[in-house]
Amino acid sequence: MHILRAPYLLYPVLFLGLVFLLDKVFLIPEVRDNFIQPGGMLYYRQRDLQINRLHNALPELPADRRVAVVFGDSRSFAIGDMTNVPLLEEGPDFRSWIIYNFAGPQAVPAYHTYLAERIFQGPQRPGYAIVGISPDAFNRRAGIFGSPVMTFGLSREFIERYWSQVPAQDRATYTGSRRFALTGMNFSFRGFWERLRGGWRGAAEDSSVVEGILLEANHDPASFARSMPLLRETFENAATASLDLYSLEHSPQRKLLDLARGAQYLWFGRRTDQELEQETTRLVNFYIKNFTVSQEQFFFFELMLERLQRSGVRVVVFWPRVNAHLQAAYEDEPQIQSVWRRIEQLTARYGARAINLNTHPDMRCSDFYDASHLSVHCFPDVQRILLRALR
């Protein structure tokens, strides 16, 4: 009765209800595709669409082309056709490869399993798979399974099917991302302000530049090295904050990922040893202290290997190269060493090959963009080793 006499007392309740409803709008895929947030959201969405592009392209490819897909985290981003260009001078064998990169930021084996289920079905399938596996992916306490992987990378059907394999910490993260949609999208007010200041930029020229570099490099592989400064400028330009980045359709980053079949070539440069040591200390404190092996991710890793073996796919699994300080920290942690030994055992059981790039004799380049990511110009070494292992 008192409320009817003073209806303004209902205003806070109505306002909160309206906010709640507006928040749920951001669970609608079409809305999310026009509200892409900084970080991993764009990569996972691009990979989702790239599966259809791959399936549509396979029937049209000549019989002499070999198609490989790349699974992994950000340490596998630069494995792709463009990295293969410098290897063309070594012989025609490298020219036959077509590489689709599906690596996701902080991706774990559950995501690789999800991709394998969707990619390796139907009569037309890729014949090769490159799988990058980092220790972080097997750290149960890292929390990266819940976000970004479940939040952005996995379908609801897949999550529900394997809900029993999701640790409580990651269940809570995922459930919260659905209860509070904007928070689950990692909405960034700082990113909003920077993009608003950048306005609408338009970036059709970015794709044209990269297409020109690729075309020239295929005729003259030596031109790839000469084009590196321009390539770097192009990718950095695509990352410049602007309102275009909110739209999946118009994002220059998405367009360059499509052009490169999912690969990303942004991380150029070289850190000093002192910088690498300082960054390594931060990584050790965050990821390696209190490392707890995730049995759930081993369940998914084996499920992925089983699926690939059943599909007749040739597989190479690799342990990415990291700087010497981080590698020493890995070697001092018995649980991380046990993870790699178990990966080697499972890989062999399913007829695949396992390669540790930290100890491989042909891995000569050791320039790092940061403590755990190789600089782009080291990836021809990486690709040479992995593709030869697949032959």
Side-chain angles (χ1 to χ4, degrees):
M1 191 71 177
H2 294 293
I3 293 179
L4 293 176
R5 291 177 181 175
Y8 58 85
L9 294 175
L10 290 173
Y11 292 171
V13 177
L14 293 174
F15 176 76
L16 289 175
L18 180 61
V19 169
F20 180 80
L21 290 174
L22 286 175
D23 178 76
K24 293 300 171 286
V25 169
F26 291 95
L27 293 177
I28 301 172
E30 290 77 11
V31 174
R32 293 167 77 91
D33 283 351
N34 287 280
F35 212 73
I36 301 292
Q37 294 301 298
M41 188 177 181
L42 176 72
Y43 288 90
Y44 282 106
R45 192 70 183 96
Q46 190 273 341
R47 272 70 172 131
D48 185 61
L49 297 176
Q50 186 169 248
I51 294 174
N52 290 331
R53 294 180 60 215
L54 169 61
H55 285 158
N56 291 335
L58 285 172
E60 308 298 325
L61 294 176
D64 61 344
R65 302 307 296 271
R66 293 180 285 185
V67 180
V69 296
V70 178
F71 299 159
D73 58 17
S74 58
R75 294 167 181 165
S76 301
F77 275 174
I79 299 174
D81 293 340
M82 196 174 295
T83 310
N84 216 34
V85 166
L87 302 179
L88 299 182
E89 292 182 320
E90 300 185 17
D93 180 62
F94 291 103
R95 193 178 294 276
S96 65
W97 289 97
I98 296 176
I99 300 171
Y100 283 83
N101 195 309
F102 289 91
Q106 297 182 299
V108 297
Y111 182 59
H112 312 335
T113 301
Y114 171 70
L115 290 173
E117 286 186 0
R118 296 186 60 195
I119 292 173
F120 294 97
Q121 58 177 318
Q124 298 285 340
R125 307 173 185 177
Y128 306 85
I130 297 170
V131 184
I133 292 292
S134 300
D136 320 351
F138 290 91
N139 185 356
R140 202 173 192 266
R141 296 192 178 187
I144 56 178
F145 186 17
S147 180
V149 178
M150 291 174 67
T151 303
F152 298 128
L154 302 179
S155 70
R156 180 178 177 180
E157 183 276 331
F158 183 91
I159 292 171
E160 290 177 349
R161 184 165 20 119
Y162 293 109
W163 188 247
S164 63
Q165 294 295 330
V166 180
Q169 173 187 358
D170 298 299
R171 288 188 185 191
T173 298
Y174 174 74
T175 302
S177 75
R178 267 45 193 169
R179 184 179 297 120
F180 304 104
L182 269 179
T183 303
M185 288 174 63
N186 298 327
F187 176 77
S188 171
F189 285 101
R190 178 181 178 182
F192 170 74
W193 177 244
E194 291 177 348
R195 291 176 176 186
L196 186 64
R197 290 175 60 189
W200 298 101
R201 186 172 64 84
E205 67 278 5
D206 292 338
S207 297
S208 299
V209 168
V210 177
E211 284 177 331
I213 292 173
L214 276 173
L215 183 63
E216 181 181 1
N218 273 285
H219 291 93
D220 175 21
S223 71
F224 182 80
R226 299 193 299 268
S227 301
M228 288 290 273
L230 180 58
L231 192 62
R232 175 178 183 170
E233 180 183 348
T234 302
F235 277 90
E236 289 180 343
N237 187 46
T240 302
S242 70
L243 290 173
D244 297 313
L245 297 178
Y246 276 124
S247 168
L248 181 68
E249 181 181 358
H250 299 292
S251 169
Q253 289 181 329
R254 183 269 173 100
K255 291 177 181 178
L256 289 183
L257 287 173
D258 284 349
L259 182 64
R261 295 195 181 97
Q264 188 245 109
Y265 306 101
L266 181 60
W267 292 331
F268 297 85
R270 184 178 185 271
R271 291 288 188 273
T272 66
D273 187 70
Q274 182 180 4
E275 289 172 328
L276 292 175
E277 187 173 11
Q278 292 172 348
E279 289 184 14
T280 296
T281 300
R282 179 181 59 82
L283 289 176
V284 169
N285 290 334
F286 190 77
Y287 284 112
I288 297 181
K289 286 186 177 180
N290 302 315
F291 188 98
T292 301
V293 176
S294 171
Q295 302 304 328
E296 297 87 357
Q297 294 308 322
F298 269 112
F299 165 82
F300 285 114
F301 180 68
E302 188 167 3
L303 201 62
M304 176 202 65
L305 290 175
E306 182 182 3
R307 178 68 182 234
L308 295 177
Q309 184 188 55
R310 195 165 62 245
S311 298
V313 181
R314 299 191 69 172
V315 181
V316 59
V317 176
F318 76 97
W319 196 248
R321 189 175 184 86
V322 296
N323 86 86
H325 304 290
L326 187 54
Q327 175 63 13
Y330 285 171
E331 291 173 353
D332 288 340
E333 174 50 64
Q335 291 196 83
I336 291 180
Q337 294 305 302
S338 72
V339 165
W340 176 242
R341 287 194 297 270
R342 191 169 169 187
I343 287 172
E344 288 182 305
Q345 292 166 0
L346 286 171
T347 302
R349 182 186 303 173
Y350 288 93
R353 292 193 61 181
I355 293 176
N356 186 343
L357 291 180
N358 295 284
T359 58
H360 198 283
D362 294 335
M363 186 67 219
R364 297 180 292 271
C365 188
S366 292
D367 292 338
F368 289 89
Y369 172 79
D370 61 25
S372 64
H373 293 93
L374 280 169
S375 184
V376 164
H377 68 264
C378 285
F379 271 82
D381 270 5
V382 173
Q383 209 143 301
R384 182 187 297 107
I385 293 168
L386 298 179
L387 293 183
R388 283 179 174 169
L390 283 175
R391 289 188 303 189

